[in-house]
Structure formats: structure tokens, C-alpha cells
Amino acid sequence: MTKLTIVYYSTYGTAHAMASRLAETAEKQGAEVRLRRARETAPDDVVQGQEAWAAHLEATKDIEVATPDDLEWADAVIMGSGTRYGHVTSQLQSFIDTLGPLWQKGGLADKVYAAFTSSSTKHGGQETTLLAMITTFAHFGGIIVPPGYTDALKFDDGNPYGVGKVVDDGGLNETDTNALDHLVTRVLSIAGRLGS
């Protein structure tokens, strides 16, 4: 049984919906899954000053906060974050910054890694955000498993680096769920082959 950790940060809920879909699909395929959120690091008055942000934080308060142990435990890791100026959110980066001791002892190496992101606009920094996470995975000594164009459905979402979602009020659409399902299936397949 492949052990998969999904670590994400979500301000308003899109990355949470994406992470939840990945977890659901992985569990249906027999994986043992840890779904974890990055700790909120924004000042409380800033969070509470935006109704949707505060509501999402409250709605997801029971999801465990990610720790380095969650990555040490895993055979495969998928990280996700909304874009911030073409990069990952500071909240996810803060989690990544706690991984130094685990990295030093080699505890992040030789695992399968992949990434997902979302942005408010079509050219809102999705590719650079995914590439930033991929760069981090390379520093870990990770086995990076992008979706590439390994299935015709990737021509619909068009992102070979991971999964990217342009946020709209409709939630995840069929293109999004197909791309997420393909990503996690590919991650589990490669992790399974490496583990056998």
C-alpha cells in the first residue's frame, strides 16, 4: 500500500477542493493518505478582515496541520498552493522551511513528488508556481513526477508541470477533476513501481 501525503495551503478553498479530490481518488485506488494543510501564518486581523478567508479557515480547522513527520512517513508527496506573485504562498513556504533537519538526514530523498496550483487569472503565475515547487523537490533529492502529456486529457488542461486551476465560482469542473485524477494515479503508479 503506497503512503501518500498531500500538503496544501488554501486561502479561499480552491486548493482545498483540489487536495480533497486527490485524496479521495488516491484512497479509492488503495493508497493510505494523509491530507494536511499548511499552518495559517497571516495575522489574525488580516484573515478576519476578509469574510471568505475567515470562513474557509474556520471550515477547515479540523484538518491536521502538516508536520515534517508527514513527509518522512510518505512514499509519495503532492504539494499544492495558490499562486502568490508567481510563487507559492508564504504559508506553504513556511512549512517547507521547517524541513531542514529532515532534509539534512536524507529523509526527503527518493520519494515521488508532484504539485498543483490555482490562480485567479489564466496567466496568473501557475507555471512558475509549479516550477518553484519542482525546484524544491529537486533540492530534496525527490523523484519528480509531472503529468507531462501522458494522457490526451492533458491537452484540455494544458499544463505538463502539474495541475493548474483558474479559479471561478463554479468549483472544480470535469477538466479539473480529470487532470487531478490523472496526476494522483500517475504518482501512485510510479511510487508503487519504485517500491516493488
Side-chain angles (χ1 to χ4, degrees), residues 2 9 11 23 26 30 42 44 52 56-57 59 67-68 85 98 113 130 160 163 173 183:
T2 301
Y9 176 76
T11 305
D44 192 55
H56 179 66
L57 183 60
T67 67
Y85 309 107
T98 69
Y113 291 89
L130 291 168
V163 175
N173 61 39
L183 179 69

Side-chain angles (χ1 to χ4, degrees), residues 2 12 18-19 21 26 40 47 51 54-55 59 64 70 74 91 100-101 105 145 154 165-167 169 175 180 183 188:
T2 301
Y12 302 113
M18 295 173 81
R21 177 64 184 215
E40 181 58 73
V47 175
E51 187 177 330
E64 290 187 48
D70 294 316
Q91 291 87 346
K105 70 177 191 174
V145 178
K154 290 304 293 177
K165 160 82 177 154
V166 177
V167 177
D169 293 334
T175 298
L180 290 162
L183 179 69
L188 294 175

Side-chain angles (χ1 to χ4, degrees), residues 134-187:
I134 288 169
T135 299
T136 298
F137 304 154
H139 280 258
F140 291 169
I143 300 158
I144 301 163
V145 178
Y149 292 102
T150 55
D151 189 288
L153 66 85
K154 290 304 293 177
F155 290 98
D156 292 331
D157 91 310
N159 197 321
Y161 305 103
V163 175
K165 160 82 177 154
V166 177
V167 177
D168 57 31
D169 293 334
L172 300 181
N173 61 39
E174 186 177 2
T175 298
D176 303 326
T177 57
N178 287 344
L180 290 162
D181 291 351
H182 176 65
L183 179 69
V184 73
T185 299
R186 186 163 156 75
V187 163

Side-chain angles (χ1 to χ4, degrees), residues 50-101:
Q50 295 189 41
E51 187 177 330
W53 192 350
H56 179 66
L57 183 60
E58 177 64 23
T60 58
K61 68 182 180 185
D62 292 333
I63 295 175
E64 290 187 48
V65 171
T67 67
D69 176 66
D70 294 316
L71 270 64
E72 187 169 28
W73 168 85
D75 302 310
V77 177
I78 303 176
M79 287 193 186
S81 169
T83 64
R84 289 297 182 276
Y85 309 107
H87 207 278
V88 299
T89 58
S90 61
Q91 291 87 346
L92 184 63
Q93 187 62 52
S94 289
F95 169 70
I96 290 168
D97 289 345
T98 69
L99 300 174

Side-chain angles (χ1 to χ4, degrees), residues 31-45:
E32 187 176 353
V33 179
R34 289 187 184 181
L35 178 64
R36 301 292 189 260
R37 63 182 175 89
R39 182 179 308 281
E40 181 58 73
T41 59
D44 192 55
D45 61 321

